[in-house]
Amino acid sequence: MMMNKLSVAAFFLIGVSAFSAEKAIVSLRDMSKVEMKFAGIEVLQSTIFHIRAGGAGGSHCDNVDSRDDNKHDMYAYGWIINADTREVVWEMDRDNTSKSRDDRTFDGEVTLPRGSFEIYFAANTFTFVSTFKNISVNIDHREEGLFNAGVRQDKNKLKGWFNGWFDEWFGEDVRKAWDKRSQKWGIDILVDDSKISGLKTFSPPKQIPNLVFKATKLGENEYIRKNFTLIESMKVRIYALGEGYRNSADLADYGWIVNLADRTRVWEMNWRNCVSAGGASKNARFDEQISLPKGDYSLYYVTDNSHSNLDWNCAPPSDPLNYGITITLDNEKSKANFKFSPTKDEGEVVFSLVKVGNDESRTQGFTLKEDAKVRVYALGEQSNSRRVMADYAMILDAKTRSKVWTMNADNSYHAGGASKNRFVDEIITLSKGSYFVQYNTDDSHAYNDWNSDPPFDPEHYGVTIYGVGEKFDKSVVDKYVDQRDKNVIAQLTRVGDSQKKEQKFKLAKTTKVRVYALGEGMNREMADYGWITDNKTGATVWEMTYSMTVHAGGARKNRMVNTAIILDKGDYTLSFETDDSHAYGDWNQDPPEDPEYWGITLYPDDGAVPVPPIPATTPLPPKPGSTSGRDE
């Protein structure tokens, strides 16, 4: 079909068909104030449509996010999807459009078979190229945004459309180019007069059959959680759209399902099981049936703070109105076996250490009167440089100070937001006894002071312990009374820089003694360490050496020993000495996991009752010429 001496630009301005026998069944024009328009048509029999569209891109232009590999380089374009299969049946691209000055146009025929179809047109970014400028920006149409160049700005300075800020930042010529070009962009779907009766229109998106749950058109920083019960085993279809960068293992917008019986993750959305969702290469789609046994489940879906239905910062997915997650079943009858249940915290809270800020070390003890299952829910931070945790939780046996559980890179999942955000949600069994729960943070990226995107559940940053099951009896949890420190043989803790502390003690009989000590060591030598002296002979009967220690968490130079020794009946002196740096209250690198016990403690290990320890003497000055343990 040829146009009657009317340019495409003139067509968009006039808004009428050049052919009297044709009428526009769909007209989506002027993208200056919105970033996406859409419409739906039902085709009762195979029909030839005349499509006229004007957009921009297709010249290897980059969108605002340089991490995207830009396989989709049209930034103002239209497309059509099959409303039943959700697959693209036609799309403007570099190959099927013609260049018209700075823009690109399509003028041709497309045959659509019987069925339902949805038409979209998006203009979400803008590229301006001139002799002196080559600018790509994300266009944010929200009231408190305008052009976002990938740099966080003070929102109070961004209110209104194209105010002085934009002209000052990019120049008036860029604004004028946008005004002129974006008003002409759009798409018209025309059809012969005789075919009009075989067409109907509808408002997208068309609902997917046998729907049981839908959380779509999601915006930024969303946190969806929905509990459901399967009365019998069944297959469910999960249709989910999200985003993530292919050079990262984790998605930024994604969903997962947890079995509430044991907190195991029975399904998750990741790059291994997703395919391209169209548009920008970071758009991901999961569309499969999964089999679930009968039981109780919790469905989650989270988004980060960008690229959503509120504002696509690069090309949206091909099915943008279904961005999020949709659950459907095989047939209508199956719905009777799919029930929603109240969404609340699974289990009674035993205690919590949450909203933990930078440079904090919080500890809380508890005692179990009998063996019990507990749920550990913790959010923290993984180091960017290596697979170690910067902010994390752990559980210690209160008697031996040994770890019984710890949060690490292997047992945690991405917690939304920045890739370093991690979380743990698991059920563990603890034996009867007393425990410490500890949470440590480093000097950055913690509650209320994030140096990059926060996790999806910032209010729970830290650790929470829940009882498991509706029959959990909280009376099995008792307040912790520190019997260990009450029964110590001798103890020198919280030792600061440049100190030497001593404490004399006496043993009434040969005793098995547990030594728990934390100090500083590097290059196979100790800088902060302890030892035991026999007062009768003056001989050192035990000394903390590098070879007997293990990493104590935090900086590599934090060292720990937790061992049992046999001491004969007699009089002894316990000593601990530090150099001039990196000790309790003045860490020059990350502190250990148990900073309060920096020093040395002796406990009876066989139940023998020791003679009460002699009070500690006044700390002695450091030895002359003591060497520093500071890492170079």
Side-chain angles (χ1 to χ4, degrees):
M1 294 183 182
M2 299 296 294
M3 299 178 68
N4 284 342
K5 299 181 180 180
L6 285 175
S7 69
V8 174
F11 167 77
F12 284 118
L13 289 173
I14 297 171
V16 296
S17 171
F19 295 89
S20 59
E22 286 184 334
K23 287 188 177 180
I25 188 70
V26 169
S27 183
L28 308 174
R29 303 192 210 141
D30 186 358
M31 305 305 296
S32 61
K33 296 297 186 290
V34 295
E35 70 174 18
M36 188 170 66
K37 292 186 176 184
F38 47 86
I41 55 173
E42 292 183 13
V43 181
L44 303 184
Q45 60 183 6
S46 181
T47 303
I48 298 174
F49 292 90
H50 178 199
I51 299 180
R52 285 186 182 143
S59 300
H60 303 284
C61 57
D62 295 324
N63 60 50
V64 70
D65 200 321
S66 60
R67 291 176 296 178
D68 192 275
D69 64 14
N70 200 35
K71 290 180 180 177
H72 193 291
D73 59 2
M74 296 285 289
Y75 58 84
Y77 66 103
W79 70 97
I80 301 174
I81 67 171
N82 185 310
D84 295 306
T85 66
R86 317 308 297 173
E87 298 290 343
V88 175
V89 297
W90 174 84
E91 183 177 29
M92 287 177 69
D93 58 35
R94 188 190 312 166
D95 296 329
N96 65 11
T97 57
S98 300
K99 191 168 179 60
S100 175
R101 293 189 177 182
D102 294 327
D103 295 327
R104 302 193 71 86
T105 62
F106 178 93
D107 187 358
E109 293 180 345
V110 173
T111 300
L112 297 180
R114 177 186 176 94
S116 299
F117 300 90
E118 296 173 11
I119 301 95
Y120 294 88
F121 197 96
N124 49 281
T125 62
F126 182 54
T127 295
F128 178 85
V129 179
S130 69
T131 304
F132 302 105
K133 292 181 181 179
N134 190 335
I135 299 171
S136 293
V137 293
N138 169 43
I139 306 169
D140 190 339
H141 293 268
R142 290 172 292 187
E143 182 180 356
E144 292 191 352
L146 43 130
F147 278 65
N148 182 340
V151 179
R152 293 185 180 183
Q153 304 289 339
D154 182 352
K155 287 186 175 181
N156 291 327
K157 298 178 181 178
L158 302 183
K159 291 183 178 180
W161 253 89
F162 296 108
N163 56 14
W165 176 87
F166 182 80
D167 289 346
E168 180 180 347
W169 191 271
F170 296 113
E172 187 179 359
D173 54 341
V174 181
R175 175 180 57 81
K176 287 182 176 179
W178 165 263
D179 284 339
K180 181 179 180 181
R181 293 169 59 188
S182 63
Q183 291 180 36
K184 295 187 293 182
W185 292 336
I187 184 172
D188 281 336
I189 309 293
L190 302 105
V191 68
D192 189 274
D193 272 342
S194 61
K195 304 294 183 181
I196 291 291
S197 60
L199 303 173
K200 294 181 180 180
T201 60
F202 66 92
S203 180
K206 184 177 180 180
Q207 182 167 297
I208 302 174
N210 304 315
L211 177 72
V212 290
F213 176 75
K214 179 171 70 172
T216 56
K217 301 181 184 178
L218 295 183
E220 298 162 5
N221 298 316
E222 298 267 15
Y223 179 49
I224 306 297
R225 185 174 63 159
K226 190 71 174 179
N227 285 4
F228 64 93
T229 298
L230 299 184
I231 298 174
E232 61 180 41
S233 300
M234 66 171 63
K235 290 183 177 181
V236 299
R237 178 193 174 192
I238 301 176
Y239 181 63
L241 300 173
E243 65 146 333
Y245 295 100
R246 295 184 183 273
N247 59 358
S248 171
D250 300 312
L251 294 173
D253 300 352
Y254 63 104
W256 68 95
I257 296 176
V258 170
N259 186 324
L260 295 182
D262 56 10
R263 304 304 302 183
T264 56
R265 189 172 288 202
V266 297
W267 170 80
E268 65 178 335
M269 188 179 174
N270 54 54
W271 276 123
R272 294 183 298 275
N273 60 19
C274 287
V275 298
S276 171
S281 64
K282 67 178 180 177
N283 296 325
R285 183 185 72 186
F286 181 93
D287 186 8
E288 292 181 22
Q289 274 193 334
I290 64 170
S291 296
L292 294 176
K294 67 178 181 179
D296 298 317
Y297 299 90
S298 194
L299 168 70
Y300 295 83
Y301 192 94
V302 298
T303 65
D304 68 354
N305 64 354
S306 67
H307 195 65
S308 71
N309 269 273
L310 292 178
D311 172 52
W312 305 110
N313 62 18
C314 49
S318 301
D319 191 6
L321 299 183
N322 276 317
Y323 197 76
I325 188 164
T326 302
I327 306 294
T328 60
L329 305 179
D330 278 338
N331 52 67
E332 192 72 21
K333 292 182 180 179
S334 298
K335 291 184 178 181
N337 295 315
F338 187 104
K339 303 291 184 182
F340 287 110
S341 49
T343 300
K344 56 183 179 181
D345 287 331
E346 289 79 28
E348 187 170 3
V349 176
V350 175
F351 69 84
S352 64
L353 304 171
V354 296
K355 299 183 179 179
V356 186
N358 292 325
D359 282 325
E360 285 199 55
S361 180
R362 297 193 197 175
T363 302
Q364 184 166 336
F366 67 97
T367 297
L368 291 177
K369 299 176 183 177
E370 58 186 55
D371 297 353
K373 288 184 176 181
V374 296
R375 174 193 171 203
V376 183
Y377 179 58
L379 291 94
E381 175 193 8
Q382 179 179 318
S383 169
N384 286 328
S385 59
R386 56 195 187 277
R387 289 177 61 80
V388 297
M389 300 301 295
D391 300 351
Y392 58 96
M394 61 180 176
I395 301 176
L396 306 174
D397 184 297
K399 181 179 181 181
T400 66
R401 207 71 185 182
S402 59
K403 294 180 188 178
V404 297
W405 177 89
T406 188
M407 180 181 183
N408 55 54
D410 294 329
N411 69 357
S412 62
Y413 296 95
H414 179 225
S419 60
K420 62 184 177 180
N421 297 326
R422 308 292 294 178
F423 84 104
V424 170
D425 187 359
E426 62 178 281
I427 292 174
I428 63 173
T429 299
L430 295 178
S431 301
K432 176 182 177 182
S434 296
Y435 300 91
F436 292 120
V437 177
Q438 192 167 68
Y439 193 90
N440 300 316
T441 62
D442 67 354
D443 60 354
S444 65
H445 193 72
Y447 181 74
N448 215 28
D449 189 17
W450 315 105
N451 61 17
S452 54
D453 295 340
F456 56 70
D457 190 9
E459 298 301 306
H460 281 91
Y461 200 79
V463 58
T464 304
I465 305 294
Y466 300 89
V468 175
E470 295 180 358
K471 297 182 180 180
F472 177 79
D473 184 0
K474 196 174 181 179
S475 65
V476 304
V477 182
D478 204 358
K479 184 178 181 180
Y480 174 71
V481 178
D482 196 343
Q483 297 294 328
R484 183 191 65 164
D485 285 359
K486 182 179 179 181
N487 295 321
V488 298
I489 297 171
Q491 185 177 59
L492 304 169
T493 57
R494 301 184 181 182
V495 186
D497 291 333
S498 300
Q499 289 191 331
K500 181 180 179 182
K501 290 186 177 182
E502 290 185 348
Q503 183 177 15
K504 294 180 179 180
F505 66 95
K506 182 181 294 186
L507 294 177
K509 63 177 182 177
T510 298
T511 305
K512 184 178 181 182
V513 176
R514 178 158 295 279
V515 182
Y516 180 64
L518 287 91
E520 176 190 9
M522 58 183 300
N523 299 326
R524 306 198 66 79
E525 292 186 359
M526 297 301 298
D528 299 356
Y529 63 101
W531 67 93
I532 303 172
T533 304
D534 186 316
N535 292 339
K536 183 177 182 180
T537 65
T540 298
V541 296
W542 181 89
E543 183 176 355
M544 182 181 181
T545 63
Y546 189 93
S547 60
M548 70 173 61
T549 62
V550 296
H551 183 223
R556 292 178 61 184
K557 62 184 178 181
N558 298 325
R559 310 299 296 176
M560 177 188 71
V561 61
N562 188 354
T563 188
I565 62 174
I566 302 295
L567 291 180
D568 294 332
K569 172 184 176 181
D571 295 334
Y572 298 89
T573 297
L574 178 68
S575 303
F576 195 88
E577 184 176 20
T578 62
D579 70 350
D580 62 354
S581 67
H582 193 73
Y584 181 78
D586 188 22
W587 313 105
N588 61 20
Q589 290 187 26
D590 292 340
E593 293 173 340
D594 195 7
E596 298 297 312
Y597 279 78
W598 190 262
I600 186 167
T601 305
L602 305 183
Y603 308 101
D605 200 66
D606 58 356
V609 179
V611 175
I614 299 172
T617 60
T618 303
L620 299 177
K623 293 180 180 179
S626 62
T627 59
S628 171
R630 182 184 292 111
D631 284 344
E632 298 297 333

